[in-house]
Amino acid sequence: MAITKDMTIGEILRTNMNVAPILMEAGMHCLGCPSAQGESLEEAAMVHGMDINDLMAKIAAIEE
């Protein structure tokens, strides 16, 4: 299953746990918090002041 910016962090981690280090390095340290289950990756990136396209590129690199 391909990871998209519309997926929640919880969905992403259930799809591919290898994404966790990328999110942690990007500053998303609360991977298990309630927000991780309710907001999309794009929303989380916005809240954390991150560029969603850069984050998606890093995730895509490990999916290959």
Side-chain angles (χ1 to χ4, degrees):
M1 173 185 237
I3 293 173
T4 69
K5 63 185 178 183
D6 298 319
M7 295 171 76
T8 67
I9 293 171
E11 289 172 327
I12 291 168
L13 294 176
R14 286 189 295 275
T15 300
N16 186 344
M17 282 298 295
N18 294 325
V19 176
I22 292 172
L23 299 178
M24 294 292 284
E25 287 174 17
M28 293 184 187
H29 300 123
C30 190
L31 300 182
C33 71
S35 293
Q37 304 304 315
E39 67 186 6
S40 70
L41 182 61
E42 184 171 33
E43 292 167 331
M46 186 174 60
V47 168
H48 289 276
M50 298 172 196
D51 184 308
I52 186 61
N53 295 318
D54 289 343
L55 192 55
M56 290 303 297
K58 290 176 183 175
I59 291 171
I62 67 161
E63 288 189 292
E64 295 175 353

